[in-house]
Amino acid sequence: MSRFAERTGPIRLGMVGGGQGALIGAVHRIAGRLDGAFDLVAGALSSSPERARASAAEIGLPADRTYADFTEMAKREARLKDGIEAVAIVTPNHMHLPVAREFLKRGIHVICDKPLTGTLADAKKLRAAAEKSDALFILTHNYTGYPMVREARARVARGDLGDIRLVQVEYAQDWLAEAPAPDNKQADWRTDPARSGAGGATGDIGTHALNLARFVTGLVPTELAADLQSFVPGRRLDDNAHVLLRFEGGARGMLWCSQVAAGAENGLALRVYGTKAGLDWRQEDPNRLVVTPLGGPAQIVTRASGATDPASQRLTRIPPGHPEGFLEAFANIYGEAAHAIRAARSGDPVPDGVVFPTLADGLEGVTFVDACVRSSARNAAWVSL
Amino acid sequence: MSRFAERTGPIRLGMVGGGQGALIGAVHRIAGRLDGAFDLVAGALSSSPERARASAAEIGLPADRTYADFTEMAKREARLKDGIEAVAIVTPNHMHLPVAREFLKRGIHVICDKPLTGTLADAKKLRAAAEKSDALFILTHNYTGYPMVREARARVARGDLGDIRLVQVEYAQDWLAEAPAPDNKQADWRTDPARSGAGGATGDIGTHALNLARFVTGLVPTELAADLQSFVPGRRLDDNAHVLLRFEGGARGMLWCSQVAAGAENGLALRVYGTKAGLDWRQEDPNRLVVTPLGGPAQIVTRASGATDPASQRLTRIPPGHPEGFLEAFANIYGEAAHAIRAARSGDPVPDGVVFPTLADGLEGVTFVDACVRSSARNAAWVSL
Amino acid sequence: MSRFAERTGPIRLGMVGGGQGALIGAVHRIAGRLDGAFDLVAGALSSSPERARASAAEIGLPADRTYADFTEMAKREARLKDGIEAVAIVTPNHMHLPVAREFLKRGIHVICDKPLTGTLADAKKLRAAAEKSDALFILTHNYTGYPMVREARARVARGDLGDIRLVQVEYAQDWLAEAPAPDNKQADWRTDPARSGAGGATGDIGTHALNLARFVTGLVPTELAADLQSFVPGRRLDDNAHVLLRFEGGARGMLWCSQVAAGAENGLALRVYGTKAGLDWRQEDPNRLVVTPLGGPAQIVTRASGATDPASQRLTRIPPGHPEGFLEAFANIYGEAAHAIRAARSGDPVPDGVVFPTLADGLEGVTFVDACVRSSARNAAWVSL
Amino acid sequence: MSRFAERTGPIRLGMVGGGQGALIGAVHRIAGRLDGAFDLVAGALSSSPERARASAAEIGLPADRTYADFTEMAKREARLKDGIEAVAIVTPNHMHLPVAREFLKRGIHVICDKPLTGTLADAKKLRAAAEKSDALFILTHNYTGYPMVREARARVARGDLGDIRLVQVEYAQDWLAEAPAPDNKQADWRTDPARSGAGGATGDIGTHALNLARFVTGLVPTELAADLQSFVPGRRLDDNAHVLLRFEGGARGMLWCSQVAAGAENGLALRVYGTKAGLDWRQEDPNRLVVTPLGGPAQIVTRASGATDPASQRLTRIPPGHPEGFLEAFANIYGEAAHAIRAARSGDPVPDGVVFPTLADGLEGVTFVDACVRSSARNAAWVSL
């Protein structure tokens, strides 16, 4: 029987990380709030007591649920009658393991930003911690929350594409095309191996690209060859990666991720080609999925339209033509998490149709980064996954 | 001194209309919640007591704040110490006046869906009611909440386009291209003159198109010539309208709104041309504004990018390339309302830069519908506005 | 029996107008040459003898087939054993009638640029001249030569769209957004009523827009209401027009043409909506036709692809994905003309499937311009067509 | 002194290959004719005498200039007073060497389709033959004839992009996604190693992709790693290739070519990213070049517009907004060839600004195919170029 068996209503959520100036913390807060499924009630938003207090006050957290120390937060919240049922971890990568461990061991569900950890060793430790816990572990590979990504996945699964032959996936940005300003918090930790981990672009966005391809196609990558670069002088992590992929069953792929592609904003794009049809989805225009049956014509399938699969319809809120975006997709991950957390109250399994990225996906991501780095160090030799 | 002078934190919000099966009520609820500025605490979601109760329960409203009668709600909430500070009115058009009046007279701010009313007579009565009240009146012409609409407005205002010559605006849908199913609640009241008012497409979406053009250009329309049609047999209101516009200062325009344009979803699009440049914005791709200086090249200005004006930057939440959509734009109207409502607590004016559609805009919209109907009845003769 | 009954091989072509600095003459020459169906062998490229000679030499015309006087050319070519079988008329509008008359009366086929004439009176005279002649009259409403325009027409004709309700057509340019430089030959005559005729934008591009709508839908316009403007100070002809259209059978339309839409290049676009589907074609992206069945999804039909109709396939040269453009479409008009001219050699009718704009289309165009001017003079009152 | 020193007027052209049913022969014929610079006067369109005759008759070649044997054609044409000055070779790849050799040795200029040859050995022999000849050798890497490709090249050359870091180039088709019908001539020889050579997709379209990247960036590739596939059962040549590229100076790239990408038509696309800006060009929308300065906004530069460089302006024929396409680009290669051939008459060098792909480019292409095949055979190991 779950210790949260008696809970009803919105899920009480805590947050670790996400203090003033952080981007992704604010995104998680909106995502949790958008559908009314979560109430943020506690937080250790910063490891600096002063910053933690100021950040908490700014977003209206009560002082007695504000912490500077995540371990203390985990301990105390676990004891409170109205303590948090789940925690969102939005720290730099190197903190994911130590933070998650404290909450998992106390049965508090974890919603963790990606990549899972900075290193493969940490990822394995985190897996061990999760396996020992009853709590759920949800990884916010948020792009899997887009309805038309669900649509793409459903169409592959129902055989519309035939046998998959090719995967072309890319995630291009330009925000690190030059050495960042010293006060750019986002850039600061992401370009620091101690906090970001072994991968730069590969970890930050390459893992998203890989996960998206995996999520839509279901294909298991078996090996990769990666050519990593650090174009900006002095940079210690990759800021661009060219990766060849081979999948079980013979499909092949290319993955490109870059933080130095001048003019690119958040150009995550997936194209998949099978024996019967292809598909094309772009996160910068996310309400459309272009489906290209062999022999044509191409079809523009729009979110929430009559042509869509129930798998995508269940994650939309508004009619076709009214665009939903990044935050709604992110909220869909929180929504899926809420379904699972509510089921867990009574010990039920995750309901049918509810899908979210888990620790296993996170481990794949960190394995991908590790493989990229090893392959690149060996002049882009093939490395097994 | 405002009766809400002591209030802090989220604004307590009530809702009239928006029961089960309603679309726009759910949109308003998300919009109020997205940035955490409003707490929905009371509602008369339906005039049927049973439906009102069931609808309220579904969204977690407490039973003692659930009403079947909006007048009772207005009276009781006005007396409660923690009563609502604002009410969202999301009923069919013909109810806007009677509902709004009850709340306005008790100093409760009104956030009202558009069009303002079904008839011009009602609109004028509502204006009178609002003038007698200290409360704010916010009309949810939600497209004005899109950051790139703000960007367009800022660019016109700062003179980038020179003198405006031409306005091309359209709002095309196809959801009423056939007689709707009998159980389609949305279609039912919108095609019924008793509840929708004098206009069909003109009222439902033509008012949005006009308001968008007005908001971006600042131009005042002086007369129009309208050719209205009801293509679907038996339909009693227009489902398509072709409108010529003339503006103060000599600019001219065309406005097309349709609910029968097969394949169109929510194709609201605005193009404006001045002596120096043009611009093009489309709500189905809302994060981009195409600006076309005479002599070129065209520029694609993206939301939150470095090229944007502070007027649009202040209404964005996430970096460029991560799309924001319809709900975020709607939430921006609620955000502007929140700024104004908080200022009103201490009797301050609406803060600089905060802009939202008001009763005056609503009156313009209803006047537009009335003029379209009158012009069309006179074979598209020019009618003054 | 045709006087050209013995002819085989490429059609001998003459040209009137199109001297140095002219744009459309060069376009006609390429169009005639592209498929090898015409040989340009004679010309009166300018009324100035010196310019006529220099222009002819530049394009390789023999001196003995170079004329300064089109009447002399018509007389002499009609007598030559290897004289021209057809003449391309690419003069300013006011010269179409006098030039065409000379060739028609001598049985020489006429390929004439649009609009047919500058005035309705001239158009009627030209019709009379053509009726008295055995020669063919082909009007280069060149946009009807685009394969995907043919595709659109075929789809309407075969009922894919159901009953047509709406036509939205526009042709936007910006090249006359400011007073043109004095040495701009193109602009000079087009803004001069004496040479251009009654219409400015309406004549130069509005006629194209109307013809495109007519060609695709087959609908007959019965009346129009037009609001014409001359935005540029001192301009004597319209540079922008907003037109409401009514068609036989109840369909309605809007037509916008402009030469002052900053940033627009040659934005001819047609959208048609019927009871079953819509379609969207844009000349700036001419190899695609977007078809939108009610209920979706939208389809992108590409030129020469398997999804296309024989009516468009017969006018393509290269595989899908390799774009064809403006010149190929223009050449298709010449190709259709060649089919008709070859059939005329033996007195055969125009072969099945061959379609080109004729004098009747030209007369419709001039009637449209005349009606626009009359309507606008009466404050956009309805005028019958 | 050239043996063609006395020639004036259009260049007399012969053709080898390109008989009935061939695609590329017809394209070359249009390209030569479009601007009036070439007259096709002789041909050995097929090695079958009957087919050669029938094909020649169909396109109007005189019987006495029709050959079944290209050697005989070369010999006789070289002796004729009005013999051909240039020959277009449009045979399957394996015939390029033997045919070209016969004409080169007689001083007749060669315009040869790509790839240069089927094998590297043949390519080297052809280079030797060309070095011994005074005649010009033009290779129809036709995409370099697109004005906006010239624009891209000019912008890279003038430093707009800063130092190039990344090249992403792809050419995706789907026409070989299934085993072709037995009577598909195009597919037949292209999938036969004896006629196509060592490469399938790599040779047919990969060489175009590489050449395009080279032409625009000027970067010299130093090594590549290629993963080649033959997805269609029984296929003996690659139908898909994933290639990593490294360039002199440190730039990196990815090249993808495919003939099995369901839904792709002729998706040649090039993206280049430098320290200051990026650019994006797509042959399916070839009149636009998107330029993305770091810091934005993106610019849409259109062919023939005021924003373009003289290097692209000189290769356009019509105003912006009127699309030019594949045939015009191909004709531009013929146009460049014509400039060079006319200069050669008097022994002058190729005029300034005239640029066309040569044997050196062809050798690079064949070297690329050879390297891809070798790399792939070694499990995508790096191979020097």
Side-chain angles (χ1 to χ4, degrees), chain C residues 21-60:
Chain C
L23 167 68
I24 203 66
V27 166
H28 278 251
R29 289 193 293 267
I30 294 175
R33 191 163 58 215
L34 198 141
D35 293 310
F38 291 85
D39 269 351
L40 182 66
V41 298
L45 305 183
S46 171
S47 52
S48 137
E50 193 172 347
R51 239 178 109 72
R53 255 193 311 274
S55 300
E58 194 175 289
I59 62 170

Side-chain angles (χ1 to χ4, degrees), chain A residues 32-158:
Chain A
R33 190 162 60 214
L34 197 142
D35 293 310
F38 291 85
D39 269 352
L40 182 66
V41 298
L45 304 183
S46 169
S47 53
S48 136
E50 192 171 347
R51 240 177 106 72
R53 254 194 310 273
S55 301
E58 195 175 287
I59 62 170
L61 282 187
D64 67 336
R65 303 293 281 273
T66 299
Y67 307 85
D69 178 328
F70 63 83
T71 308
E72 186 202 324
M73 172 176 164
K75 286 181 182 165
R76 181 155 175 267
E77 289 291 328
R79 285 194 310 259
L80 287 176
K81 192 180 158 67
D82 63 349
I84 60 171
E85 191 171 352
V87 67
I89 303 177
V90 292
T91 62
N93 305 341
H94 70 301
M95 296 301 295
H96 290 179
L97 169 63
V99 176
R101 200 153 43 185
E102 292 303 318
F103 290 89
L104 287 173
K105 79 161 72 151
R106 291 173 178 90
I108 294 171
H109 306 299
V110 168
I111 300 172
C112 184
D113 210 74
K114 46 50 57 187
L116 183 64
T117 57
T119 68
L120 189 51
D122 273 10
K124 289 175 178 171
K125 286 180 199 160
L126 187 42
R127 176 176 57 184
E131 282 171 353
K132 272 188 277 181
S133 170
D134 285 343
L136 293 160
F137 191 97
I138 296 102
L139 193 75
T140 50
H141 268 312
N142 51 294
Y143 303 106
T144 66
Y146 273 110
M148 297 317 280
V149 168
R150 300 286 173 127
E151 182 71 28
R153 174 183 163 100
R155 286 173 179 249
V156 170
R158 74 193 193 199

Side-chain angles (χ1 to χ4, degrees), chain D residues 200-263:
Chain D
T202 45
D204 201 35
I205 53 177
T207 51
H208 273 311
L210 179 78
N211 180 258
L212 180 65
R214 287 276 290 121
F215 183 78
V216 168
T217 67
L219 291 175
V220 178
T222 54
E223 53 181 339
L224 64 74
D227 196 24
L228 270 53
Q229 297 85 38
S230 300
F231 280 108
V232 174
R235 184 157 293 160
R236 290 174 294 159
L237 291 171
D238 65 90
D239 52 21
N240 189 81
H242 292 168
V243 186
L244 303 181
L245 293 166
R246 290 174 178 165
F247 297 92
E248 269 183 29
R252 303 294 172 97
M254 294 176 99
L255 183 154
W256 171 46
C257 60
S258 186
Q259 292 166 327
V260 300

